Amino acid sequence: MSEQEQRAVERELTMSRAMVEAVAHEMREDEEVFYMGEDVADYGGIFDSTEGLLEEFGRDRIMDVPISETAYLGAAVGAAQEGMRPIAELMFVDFFGVAMDQIYNQMAKNTYMSGGAVNVPMVLTAAVGGTYNDAAQHSQTLYGTFAHLPGMKVVVPSTAYDAKGLMHNAIRDDDPVVYLFHKRLMGIGWMPAPDGPKTPVPEEEYTIPFGSADVKREGEDATVVTLGLHVHRALEAADALAEDGIDAEVIDLRTLVPLDTETIHESVAKTGRLVVVDEDYQSYGVTGEIIASVAEDGLADLEAVERVAVPDVPLPYARPMENEVVPDSEDIESAVRSAHDA
Amino acid sequence: MFEEMATARYYEERLQEEYLEGKQPAFDISAGPIPGELHLAAGQEAAAAGVCRHLRDDDTVTAPHRPHHVAIAKGVDLKRMTAEIFGRESGLSSGKGGHMHLFDPDAGFACSGIIAQGCPPAVGAGLAAKKRNEDSVAVAFLGEGAISQGAFLESLNLAAVQQLPVVFVIEDNDWAISMPKERVTDVADGSRRAGGFDMPGVRVDYDDATAVYDAAKEAVGRARAGNGPTLLEVQVHRRMGHFMGDPESYRPDEDVAAAEQRDSIERLADDLRSEGVEDDELEAIREEARERVDEAIEWAKEQPEPDPDAAYEDVFVNPPSGVTAQEPDHELAGGDD
Amino acid sequence: MSGTDDRVAVAASGVWPEDVEDDETAVVVNWFAREGRRVEEGETICEIQIEKVSIDVPAPVTGELVAIERGEDAELTREDVLAYVAPG
Ligand SMILES: Cc1ncc(C[n+]2csc(CCOP(=O)(O)OP(=O)(O)O)c2C)c(N)n1
């Protein structure tokens, strides 16, 4: 192999490292970007979301803040309205409750209420998801909650490649972006990731536009629409289904707001069968929204619909119960089979 | 107090062992007999024992994410609490809550994993006591990191303005995960927060269980007599990481050493010896504590895991189907007669 | 591939924490390079975990990563060979 060919054997990164690389790049380029959160400085983020940034940027730009989410998320709103580009981290998305007003009444609405005179170019990052028995207050994704309330763009990466490109875009975006990263995908030593989120990642910067879903696997027989951790569970299900001759297409939404309905509709037009998989609560959420959008524009294409989500219960602690309510690849497999056989 | 403290310390040491099982050499948070996060309170026993000594069963305590020592001091059923931590069917919450969400209404105990969010419900318990003319009191425990949270400050104000029988106890272990106290507040003495609400604020120095006992006696007495809330801050030590698995790379070695050296249990033992308590009496108490803890852990591990379908129960006490069944017939409910 | 003789071993010894015994067991958490990649001296090529701490392991020399001896989840101690790099 030539030196160039050898170098092209790509470098792979975990999702957390890919996110950090994008943040670091943006911070080097733009003095106005800074990062605030609990345990983001010396600790490097409980889920490695800021690992190594303190050393390069110092405490002025990688700021540990008091456990005062209302104050510091609101301060991010205020600094953003002054034209800075803050990134503020909620350690777990579940804690949004203590600062909800700043998120949904201020951050998300100030642009609209000001008739566009004000804008809020900030990123709110938060860890989401279960699968490690952290129980009801530390395991939610709340994807649908943020996507439901108007005024926030909502990003959910599932691979390192996507995480980096989406983060570049999030920081450069002139609107508030909620960037939800799944703990199980970060590639942290103490919470092993499934195969899949660690991918080749180019060293140079690149953006992935919001509202462009990614077909992670092409297939003819059924469309599985999902996001976050469940992209990987759906891919695993698709591999198992392939052995029985069922060819599933797996669509990774990547952003909930804006939502790429076109990619979904095209796929359903091809397969006729729609399975939506979500790690959020089932009712009034992502699954219903996707199915409604297909029904509105492409009802004639729909031969079968299934949804797989967390039944409407808080996340229980004990393993057998958590495993019961968080969809796994077998749940996805059987939903696809039902849709296929319908 | 010595008994509760010795029990709590040994309990945390034993849980640490159990937790790390299946998590070696690679630490995987979801492996082993106890999955999920685990926040242990070794080094903080004095605060819980000194305060709860003054409480009755009908008094209410709320604790934060680091609850075991408080639960033990408040008399929570040790076996069922342990079973809950192991995620078993006979646990306090039949396996639904886990270690950060322990509820024992019989012992007047509850905790929450969201910082400072135990404070408002404690105020509510005080409010109920006042409305019913009862002399029970409520105590909210929280860490020093939590004193920057709105829920705490709003609770102080509400308790003060309503003169409610509530005691707020800050356990100051110097650290909020990796953030030292001075990075997140300019007021080193957290009890000074009380001044802003015109309530008494008292700070108790490191590891002095007897001093905690004395300060709490006054605060609880004041609340019980209907004279309103008090804020206590007790300096304690975090002898283990924030959670099990915390590498503590951010923590200076001297700080870890200091936590190991100063030990409220040893200090209390010294106090007791100087009052004439014999060594073998203390050892007998410790031995009994160990037996009780070992027995609780053995019992918990023998309990069955919950049925997966139990996940669907307990969202409501009146499940939606029950409500529908009772809904009156439309015609009957009509307003014609 | 270059001759095996001049291969340089990648070990964790250079980044092994002082307060951890040499025969303590570490675990490979992540590889960031695949066999065949040209690595630069100092580039992080893998991550190991020792006593709950994550540590990055750099490439000892510039060259081609010719063999990974311990893959993800494999255990190692201080002197064990993680991989070989052929300098050049
Ligand atoms: C509202 C909220 N924000 C953040 C957290 C994450 N968190 C859990 S424990 C903790 C530190 C708490 O420090 P302190 O109150 O001093 O208690 P300690 O852990 O030291 O006992 C943090 C930030 C949380 N659980 N809830």
Side-chain angles (χ1 to χ4, degrees), chain B residues 174-218:
Chain B
D174 290 321
W175 293 94
I177 312 186
S178 69
M179 303 194 297
K181 190 176 192 182
E182 68 271 14
R183 192 176 301 157
V184 291
T185 176
D186 278 344
V187 184
D189 175 355
S191 71
R192 282 180 54 204
R193 294 268 203 281
F197 304 92
D198 211 12
M199 71 168 78
V202 181
R203 179 166 161 102
V204 179
D205 277 353
Y206 278 114
D207 304 314
D208 188 346
T210 316
V212 179
Y213 178 88
D214 293 342
K217 184 174 182 186
E218 196 171 331

mmCIF file of all heavy atoms in Angstrom, chain B residues 174-218:
data_model
loop_
_atom_site.group_PDB
_atom_site.id
_atom_site.type_symbol
_atom_site.label_atom_id
_atom_site.label_comp_id
_atom_site.label_asym_id
_atom_site.label_seq_id
_atom_site.Cartn_x
_atom_site.Cartn_y
_atom_site.Cartn_z
ATOM 1 N N ASP B 174 -18.312 18.688 50.581
ATOM 2 C CA ASP B 174 -17.357 19.469 49.785
ATOM 3 C C ASP B 174 -17.451 19.265 48.281
ATOM 4 O O ASP B 174 -16.944 20.074 47.516
ATOM 5 C CB ASP B 174 -15.890 19.182 50.177
ATOM 6 C CG ASP B 174 -15.550 19.743 51.537
ATOM 7 O OD1 ASP B 174 -16.023 20.852 51.840
ATOM 8 O OD2 ASP B 174 -14.833 19.060 52.302
ATOM 9 N N TRP B 175 -18.044 18.188 47.835
ATOM 10 C CA TRP B 175 -18.028 17.882 46.415
ATOM 11 C C TRP B 175 -19.430 17.664 45.877
ATOM 12 O O TRP B 175 -20.233 16.988 46.514
ATOM 13 C CB TRP B 175 -17.214 16.605 46.140
ATOM 14 C CG TRP B 175 -15.758 16.768 46.422
ATOM 15 C CD1 TRP B 175 -15.120 16.456 47.585
ATOM 16 C CD2 TRP B 175 -14.772 17.305 45.537
ATOM 17 N NE1 TRP B 175 -13.783 16.766 47.480
ATOM 18 C CE2 TRP B 175 -13.538 17.282 46.236
ATOM 19 C CE3 TRP B 175 -14.801 17.792 44.222
ATOM 20 C CZ2 TRP B 175 -12.350 17.740 45.658
ATOM 21 C CZ3 TRP B 175 -13.622 18.236 43.655
ATOM 22 C CH2 TRP B 175 -12.410 18.210 44.363
ATOM 23 N N ALA B 176 -19.681 18.225 44.703
ATOM 24 C CA ALA B 176 -20.861 17.858 43.927
ATOM 25 C C ALA B 176 -20.295 17.159 42.697
ATOM 26 O O ALA B 176 -19.788 17.817 41.780
ATOM 27 C CB ALA B 176 -21.674 19.076 43.537
ATOM 28 N N ILE B 177 -20.281 15.871 42.705
ATOM 29 C CA ILE B 177 -19.534 15.052 41.741
ATOM 30 C C ILE B 177 -18.106 15.598 41.676
ATOM 31 O O ILE B 177 -17.365 15.464 42.649
ATOM 32 C CB ILE B 177 -20.227 14.967 40.360
ATOM 33 C CG1 ILE B 177 -21.732 14.626 40.529
ATOM 34 C CG2 ILE B 177 -19.536 13.890 39.514
ATOM 35 C CD1 ILE B 177 -22.469 14.367 39.225
ATOM 36 N N SER B 178 -17.736 16.288 40.573
ATOM 37 C CA SER B 178 -16.346 16.757 40.459
ATOM 38 C C SER B 178 -16.209 18.229 40.809
ATOM 39 O O SER B 178 -15.136 18.805 40.663
ATOM 40 C CB SER B 178 -15.850 16.557 39.023
ATOM 41 O OG SER B 178 -16.516 17.453 38.141
ATOM 42 N N MET B 179 -17.295 18.849 41.238
ATOM 43 C CA MET B 179 -17.237 20.301 41.438
ATOM 44 C C MET B 179 -17.095 20.628 42.924
ATOM 45 O O MET B 179 -18.006 20.358 43.713
ATOM 46 C CB MET B 179 -18.479 20.961 40.854
ATOM 47 C CG MET B 179 -18.664 20.652 39.368
ATOM 48 S SD MET B 179 -19.879 21.698 38.530
ATOM 49 C CE MET B 179 -21.380 21.287 39.373
ATOM 50 N N PRO B 180 -15.948 21.224 43.305
ATOM 51 C CA PRO B 180 -15.770 21.593 44.705
ATOM 52 C C PRO B 180 -16.701 22.753 45.057
ATOM 53 O O PRO B 180 -17.069 23.554 44.196
ATOM 54 C CB PRO B 180 -14.306 22.027 44.778
ATOM 55 C CG PRO B 180 -13.924 22.392 43.389
ATOM 56 C CD PRO B 180 -14.797 21.584 42.469
ATOM 57 N N LYS B 181 -17.032 22.832 46.332
ATOM 58 C CA LYS B 181 -18.019 23.808 46.772
ATOM 59 C C LYS B 181 -17.665 25.225 46.332
ATOM 60 O O LYS B 181 -18.526 25.985 45.892
ATOM 61 C CB LYS B 181 -18.136 23.741 48.289
ATOM 62 C CG LYS B 181 -19.289 24.535 48.850
ATOM 63 C CD LYS B 181 -19.412 24.350 50.359
ATOM 64 C CE LYS B 181 -20.739 24.911 50.866
ATOM 65 N NZ LYS B 181 -20.862 24.780 52.319
ATOM 66 N N GLU B 182 -16.388 25.594 46.444
ATOM 67 C CA GLU B 182 -16.043 26.994 46.161
ATOM 68 C C GLU B 182 -16.215 27.362 44.690
ATOM 69 O O GLU B 182 -16.291 28.524 44.348
ATOM 70 C CB GLU B 182 -14.625 27.334 46.655
ATOM 71 C CG GLU B 182 -13.496 26.648 45.920
ATOM 72 C CD GLU B 182 -13.134 25.289 46.536
ATOM 73 O OE1 GLU B 182 -13.931 24.776 47.364
ATOM 74 O OE2 GLU B 182 -12.072 24.749 46.184
ATOM 75 N N ARG B 183 -16.303 26.366 43.817
ATOM 76 C CA ARG B 183 -16.505 26.702 42.411
ATOM 77 C C ARG B 183 -17.960 27.063 42.132
ATOM 78 O O ARG B 183 -18.257 27.713 41.131
ATOM 79 C CB ARG B 183 -16.066 25.537 41.517
ATOM 80 C CG ARG B 183 -15.971 25.927 40.050
ATOM 81 C CD ARG B 183 -15.444 24.799 39.171
ATOM 82 N NE ARG B 183 -14.129 24.369 39.589
ATOM 83 C CZ ARG B 183 -13.626 23.157 39.325
ATOM 84 N NH1 ARG B 183 -14.336 22.282 38.652
ATOM 85 N NH2 ARG B 183 -12.420 22.838 39.737
ATOM 86 N N VAL B 184 -18.859 26.630 42.987
ATOM 87 C CA VAL B 184 -20.268 26.809 42.661
ATOM 88 C C VAL B 184 -21.035 27.691 43.641
ATOM 89 O O VAL B 184 -22.218 27.953 43.429
ATOM 90 C CB VAL B 184 -20.985 25.448 42.503
ATOM 91 C CG1 VAL B 184 -20.486 24.739 41.254
ATOM 92 C CG2 VAL B 184 -20.770 24.570 43.725
ATOM 93 N N THR B 185 -20.373 28.135 44.702
ATOM 94 C CA THR B 185 -21.036 29.126 45.559
ATOM 95 C C THR B 185 -19.968 29.964 46.257
ATOM 96 O O THR B 185 -18.900 29.456 46.599
ATOM 97 C CB THR B 185 -21.971 28.476 46.613
ATOM 98 O OG1 THR B 185 -22.490 29.515 47.451
ATOM 99 C CG2 THR B 185 -21.270 27.453 47.468
ATOM 100 N N ASP B 186 -20.260 31.236 46.450
ATOM 101 C CA ASP B 186 -19.325 32.123 47.143
ATOM 102 C C ASP B 186 -19.542 32.100 48.649
ATOM 103 O O ASP B 186 -18.833 32.768 49.387
ATOM 104 C CB ASP B 186 -19.479 33.565 46.631
ATOM 105 C CG ASP B 186 -18.710 33.769 45.334
ATOM 106 O OD1 ASP B 186 -17.851 32.916 45.022
ATOM 107 O OD2 ASP B 186 -18.969 34.771 44.645
ATOM 108 N N VAL B 187 -20.543 31.352 49.083
ATOM 109 C CA VAL B 187 -20.847 31.328 50.507
ATOM 110 C C VAL B 187 -20.417 29.974 51.067
ATOM 111 O O VAL B 187 -21.086 28.964 50.869
ATOM 112 C CB VAL B 187 -22.361 31.543 50.741
ATOM 113 C CG1 VAL B 187 -22.662 31.615 52.219
ATOM 114 C CG2 VAL B 187 -22.819 32.811 50.031
ATOM 115 N N ALA B 188 -19.272 29.956 51.718
ATOM 116 C CA ALA B 188 -18.713 28.683 52.171
ATOM 117 C C ALA B 188 -19.619 28.039 53.221
ATOM 118 O O ALA B 188 -19.758 26.821 53.285
ATOM 119 C CB ALA B 188 -17.323 28.900 52.760
ATOM 120 N N ASP B 189 -20.244 28.866 54.032
ATOM 121 C CA ASP B 189 -21.119 28.356 55.081
ATOM 122 C C ASP B 189 -22.554 28.351 54.565
ATOM 123 O O ASP B 189 -23.226 29.387 54.519
ATOM 124 C CB ASP B 189 -20.975 29.263 56.320
ATOM 125 C CG ASP B 189 -21.933 28.882 57.431
ATOM 126 O OD1 ASP B 189 -22.776 27.984 57.222
ATOM 127 O OD2 ASP B 189 -21.844 29.493 58.509
ATOM 128 N N GLY B 190 -23.019 27.179 54.165
ATOM 129 C CA GLY B 190 -24.344 27.073 53.554
ATOM 130 C C GLY B 190 -25.469 27.474 54.494
ATOM 131 O O GLY B 190 -26.539 27.891 54.042
ATOM 132 N N SER B 191 -25.230 27.374 55.804
ATOM 133 C CA SER B 191 -26.312 27.699 56.745
ATOM 134 C C SER B 191 -26.649 29.193 56.686
ATOM 135 O O SER B 191 -27.704 29.617 57.138
ATOM 136 C CB SER B 191 -25.939 27.273 58.165
ATOM 137 O OG SER B 191 -24.926 28.113 58.681
ATOM 138 N N ARG B 192 -25.713 29.976 56.096
ATOM 139 C CA ARG B 192 -26.007 31.414 55.960
ATOM 140 C C ARG B 192 -27.148 31.688 54.990
ATOM 141 O O ARG B 192 -27.723 32.775 54.990
ATOM 142 C CB ARG B 192 -24.749 32.170 55.545
ATOM 143 C CG ARG B 192 -23.789 32.391 56.719
ATOM 144 C CD ARG B 192 -22.555 33.136 56.297
ATOM 145 N NE ARG B 192 -22.858 34.390 55.620
ATOM 146 C CZ ARG B 192 -22.022 34.996 54.766
ATOM 147 N NH1 ARG B 192 -20.847 34.461 54.514
ATOM 148 N NH2 ARG B 192 -22.360 36.129 54.190
ATOM 149 N N ARG B 193 -27.463 30.731 54.141
ATOM 150 C CA ARG B 193 -28.625 30.900 53.257
ATOM 151 C C ARG B 193 -29.881 31.190 54.101
ATOM 152 O O ARG B 193 -30.814 31.822 53.641
ATOM 153 C CB ARG B 193 -28.871 29.641 52.419
ATOM 154 C CG ARG B 193 -27.797 29.280 51.393
ATOM 155 C CD ARG B 193 -28.117 29.891 50.035
ATOM 156 N NE ARG B 193 -27.507 29.219 48.881
ATOM 157 C CZ ARG B 193 -26.253 29.360 48.478
ATOM 158 N NH1 ARG B 193 -25.404 30.096 49.151
ATOM 159 N NH2 ARG B 193 -25.817 28.759 47.390
ATOM 160 N N ALA B 194 -29.883 30.681 55.332
ATOM 161 C CA ALA B 194 -31.066 30.851 56.183
ATOM 162 C C ALA B 194 -31.374 32.318 56.445
ATOM 163 O O ALA B 194 -32.537 32.721 56.532
ATOM 164 C CB ALA B 194 -30.855 30.119 57.517
ATOM 165 N N GLY B 195 -30.310 33.114 56.565
ATOM 166 C CA GLY B 195 -30.481 34.523 56.893
ATOM 167 C C GLY B 195 -31.397 35.242 55.919
ATOM 168 O O GLY B 195 -32.188 36.104 56.301
ATOM 169 N N GLY B 196 -31.316 34.868 54.663
ATOM 170 C CA GLY B 196 -32.136 35.508 53.639
ATOM 171 C C GLY B 196 -33.619 35.243 53.824
ATOM 172 O O GLY B 196 -34.452 35.893 53.189
ATOM 173 N N PHE B 197 -33.933 34.276 54.656
ATOM 174 C CA PHE B 197 -35.342 33.945 54.871
ATOM 175 C C PHE B 197 -35.732 34.165 56.337
ATOM 176 O O PHE B 197 -36.798 33.745 56.764
ATOM 177 C CB PHE B 197 -35.604 32.496 54.439
ATOM 178 C CG PHE B 197 -35.207 32.263 53.016
ATOM 179 C CD1 PHE B 197 -33.943 31.802 52.694
ATOM 180 C CD2 PHE B 197 -36.081 32.566 51.983
ATOM 181 C CE1 PHE B 197 -33.552 31.620 51.372
ATOM 182 C CE2 PHE B 197 -35.701 32.383 50.653
ATOM 183 C CZ PHE B 197 -34.435 31.916 50.343
ATOM 184 N N ASP B 198 -34.808 34.769 57.056
ATOM 185 C CA ASP B 198 -35.053 35.091 58.456
ATOM 186 C C ASP B 198 -35.395 33.858 59.297
ATOM 187 O O ASP B 198 -36.284 33.897 60.137
ATOM 188 C CB ASP B 198 -36.176 36.143 58.564
ATOM 189 C CG ASP B 198 -35.957 37.036 59.789
ATOM 190 O OD1 ASP B 198 -34.848 36.958 60.372
ATOM 191 O OD2 ASP B 198 -36.877 37.777 60.156
ATOM 192 N N MET B 199 -34.682 32.793 59.014
ATOM 193 C CA MET B 199 -34.838 31.603 59.872
ATOM 194 C C MET B 199 -33.470 31.277 60.465
ATOM 195 O O MET B 199 -32.446 31.701 59.944
ATOM 196 C CB MET B 199 -35.388 30.409 59.078
ATOM 197 C CG MET B 199 -34.412 29.794 58.097
ATOM 198 S SD MET B 199 -34.982 28.200 57.439
ATOM 199 C CE MET B 199 -36.175 28.675 56.227
ATOM 200 N N PRO B 200 -33.427 30.530 61.560
ATOM 201 C CA PRO B 200 -32.129 30.198 62.137
ATOM 202 C C PRO B 200 -31.326 29.281 61.208
ATOM 203 O O PRO B 200 -31.903 28.400 60.553
ATOM 204 C CB PRO B 200 -32.483 29.449 63.430
ATOM 205 C CG PRO B 200 -33.941 29.609 63.633
ATOM 206 C CD PRO B 200 -34.555 29.991 62.338
ATOM 207 N N GLY B 201 -30.041 29.517 61.160
ATOM 208 C CA GLY B 201 -29.149 28.661 60.381
ATOM 209 C C GLY B 201 -27.978 28.253 61.260
ATOM 210 O O GLY B 201 -27.382 29.084 61.911
ATOM 211 N N VAL B 202 -27.687 26.955 61.293
ATOM 212 C CA VAL B 202 -26.631 26.462 62.184
ATOM 213 C C VAL B 202 -25.698 25.564 61.385
ATOM 214 O O VAL B 202 -26.152 24.739 60.590
ATOM 215 C CB VAL B 202 -27.236 25.637 63.349
ATOM 216 C CG1 VAL B 202 -26.132 25.136 64.287
ATOM 217 C CG2 VAL B 202 -28.270 26.456 64.108
ATOM 218 N N ARG B 203 -24.397 25.746 61.610
ATOM 219 C CA ARG B 203 -23.444 24.874 60.925
ATOM 220 C C ARG B 203 -22.718 24.024 61.955
ATOM 221 O O ARG B 203 -22.315 24.517 63.007
ATOM 222 C CB ARG B 203 -22.443 25.738 60.188
ATOM 223 C CG ARG B 203 -21.372 24.962 59.444
ATOM 224 C CD ARG B 203 -20.705 25.946 58.514
ATOM 225 N NE ARG B 203 -19.411 25.544 58.037
ATOM 226 C CZ ARG B 203 -19.197 25.045 56.831
ATOM 227 N NH1 ARG B 203 -20.212 24.839 56.020
ATOM 228 N NH2 ARG B 203 -17.976 24.758 56.442
ATOM 229 N N VAL B 204 -22.587 22.752 61.647
ATOM 230 C CA VAL B 204 -21.894 21.831 62.553
ATOM 231 C C VAL B 204 -20.606 21.379 61.890
ATOM 232 O O VAL B 204 -20.613 20.931 60.741
ATOM 233 C CB VAL B 204 -22.774 20.602 62.879
ATOM 234 C CG1 VAL B 204 -22.016 19.656 63.794
ATOM 235 C CG2 VAL B 204 -24.081 21.039 63.508
ATOM 236 N N ASP B 205 -19.504 21.493 62.631
ATOM 237 C CA ASP B 205 -18.195 21.160 62.088
ATOM 238 C C ASP B 205 -18.037 19.672 61.807
ATOM 239 O O ASP B 205 -18.778 18.854 62.310
ATOM 240 C CB ASP B 205 -17.104 21.593 63.068
ATOM 241 C CG ASP B 205 -16.789 23.059 62.881
ATOM 242 O OD1 ASP B 205 -17.323 23.640 61.927
ATOM 243 O OD2 ASP B 205 -16.029 23.597 63.706
ATOM 244 N N TYR B 206 -16.970 19.423 61.055
ATOM 245 C CA TYR B 206 -16.692 18.076 60.589
ATOM 246 C C TYR B 206 -16.939 16.961 61.591
ATOM 247 O O TYR B 206 -16.370 16.938 62.681
ATOM 248 C CB TYR B 206 -15.228 17.989 60.157
ATOM 249 C CG TYR B 206 -15.026 18.523 58.773
ATOM 250 C CD1 TYR B 206 -14.272 19.671 58.552
ATOM 251 C CD2 TYR B 206 -15.616 17.883 57.688
ATOM 252 C CE1 TYR B 206 -14.092 20.156 57.272
ATOM 253 C CE2 TYR B 206 -15.442 18.365 56.406
ATOM 254 C CZ TYR B 206 -14.684 19.507 56.202
ATOM 255 O OH TYR B 206 -14.517 19.978 54.940
ATOM 256 N N ASP B 207 -17.746 16.036 61.198
ATOM 257 C CA ASP B 207 -17.742 14.697 61.789
ATOM 258 C C ASP B 207 -18.062 14.630 63.269
ATOM 259 O O ASP B 207 -17.639 13.710 63.945
ATOM 260 C CB ASP B 207 -16.372 14.041 61.574
ATOM 261 C CG ASP B 207 -16.016 14.021 60.110
ATOM 262 O OD1 ASP B 207 -16.894 13.643 59.329
ATOM 263 O OD2 ASP B 207 -14.892 14.408 59.770
ATOM 264 N N ASP B 208 -18.781 15.608 63.753
ATOM 265 C CA ASP B 208 -19.058 15.593 65.174
ATOM 266 C C ASP B 208 -20.516 15.189 65.399
ATOM 267 O O ASP B 208 -21.421 16.021 65.415
ATOM 268 C CB ASP B 208 -18.770 16.984 65.756
ATOM 269 C CG ASP B 208 -18.848 16.980 67.273
ATOM 270 O OD1 ASP B 208 -19.373 16.002 67.841
ATOM 271 O OD2 ASP B 208 -18.387 17.967 67.873
ATOM 272 N N ALA B 209 -20.726 13.908 65.582
ATOM 273 C CA ALA B 209 -22.093 13.394 65.687
ATOM 274 C C ALA B 209 -22.808 13.983 66.901
ATOM 275 O O ALA B 209 -24.010 14.276 66.848
ATOM 276 C CB ALA B 209 -22.067 11.868 65.770
ATOM 277 N N THR B 210 -22.079 14.169 67.976
ATOM 278 C CA THR B 210 -22.712 14.711 69.180
ATOM 279 C C THR B 210 -23.200 16.138 68.947
ATOM 280 O O THR B 210 -24.297 16.518 69.372
ATOM 281 C CB THR B 210 -21.714 14.682 70.365
ATOM 282 O OG1 THR B 210 -21.060 13.410 70.339
ATOM 283 C CG2 THR B 210 -22.413 14.875 71.672
ATOM 284 N N ALA B 211 -22.373 16.910 68.237
ATOM 285 C CA ALA B 211 -22.784 18.286 67.939
ATOM 286 C C ALA B 211 -24.001 18.302 67.004
ATOM 287 O O ALA B 211 -24.879 19.158 67.128
ATOM 288 C CB ALA B 211 -21.623 19.054 67.319
ATOM 289 N N VAL B 212 -24.041 17.355 66.072
ATOM 290 C CA VAL B 212 -25.215 17.266 65.197
ATOM 291 C C VAL B 212 -26.448 16.967 66.049
ATOM 292 O O VAL B 212 -27.498 17.598 65.904
ATOM 293 C CB VAL B 212 -25.063 16.136 64.137
ATOM 294 C CG1 VAL B 212 -26.311 16.063 63.265
ATOM 295 C CG2 VAL B 212 -23.834 16.351 63.280
ATOM 296 N N TYR B 213 -26.265 16.017 66.940
ATOM 297 C CA TYR B 213 -27.373 15.630 67.824
ATOM 298 C C TYR B 213 -27.911 16.849 68.572
ATOM 299 O O TYR B 213 -29.121 17.088 68.610
ATOM 300 C CB TYR B 213 -26.871 14.556 68.802
ATOM 301 C CG TYR B 213 -27.913 14.114 69.792
ATOM 302 C CD1 TYR B 213 -28.791 13.069 69.491
ATOM 303 C CD2 TYR B 213 -28.030 14.735 71.032
ATOM 304 C CE1 TYR B 213 -29.756 12.667 70.399
ATOM 305 C CE2 TYR B 213 -29.002 14.340 71.944
ATOM 306 C CZ TYR B 213 -29.860 13.309 71.623
ATOM 307 O OH TYR B 213 -30.821 12.917 72.514
ATOM 308 N N ASP B 214 -27.003 17.642 69.112
ATOM 309 C CA ASP B 214 -27.428 18.814 69.895
ATOM 310 C C ASP B 214 -28.130 19.855 69.016
ATOM 311 O O ASP B 214 -29.184 20.381 69.390
ATOM 312 C CB ASP B 214 -26.212 19.454 70.585
ATOM 313 C CG ASP B 214 -25.633 18.527 71.662
ATOM 314 O OD1 ASP B 214 -26.349 17.589 72.091
ATOM 315 O OD2 ASP B 214 -24.460 18.724 72.043
ATOM 316 N N ALA B 215 -27.536 20.133 67.885
ATOM 317 C CA ALA B 215 -28.133 21.145 67.002
ATOM 318 C C ALA B 215 -29.505 20.688 66.508
ATOM 319 O O ALA B 215 -30.453 21.481 66.418
ATOM 320 C CB ALA B 215 -27.205 21.419 65.825
ATOM 321 N N ALA B 216 -29.596 19.400 66.194
ATOM 322 C CA ALA B 216 -30.857 18.874 65.665
ATOM 323 C C ALA B 216 -31.926 18.847 66.749
ATOM 324 O O ALA B 216 -33.110 19.046 66.476
ATOM 325 C CB ALA B 216 -30.645 17.469 65.098
ATOM 326 N N LYS B 217 -31.489 18.627 67.962
ATOM 327 C CA LYS B 217 -32.449 18.601 69.066
ATOM 328 C C LYS B 217 -33.188 19.940 69.131
ATOM 329 O O LYS B 217 -34.422 19.989 69.228
ATOM 330 C CB LYS B 217 -31.706 18.345 70.377
ATOM 331 C CG LYS B 217 -32.615 18.197 71.563
ATOM 332 C CD LYS B 217 -31.812 17.791 72.792
ATOM 333 C CE LYS B 217 -32.759 17.608 73.966
ATOM 334 N NZ LYS B 217 -32.039 17.350 75.199
ATOM 335 N N GLU B 218 -32.414 20.979 69.002
ATOM 336 C CA GLU B 218 -33.023 22.299 69.068
ATOM 337 C C GLU B 218 -33.914 22.566 67.850
ATOM 338 O O GLU B 218 -35.032 23.060 67.969
ATOM 339 C CB GLU B 218 -31.919 23.354 69.167
ATOM 340 C CG GLU B 218 -32.480 24.681 69.619
ATOM 341 C CD GLU B 218 -31.373 25.682 69.930
ATOM 342 O OE1 GLU B 218 -30.262 25.248 70.327
ATOM 343 O OE2 GLU B 218 -31.629 26.877 69.761
#
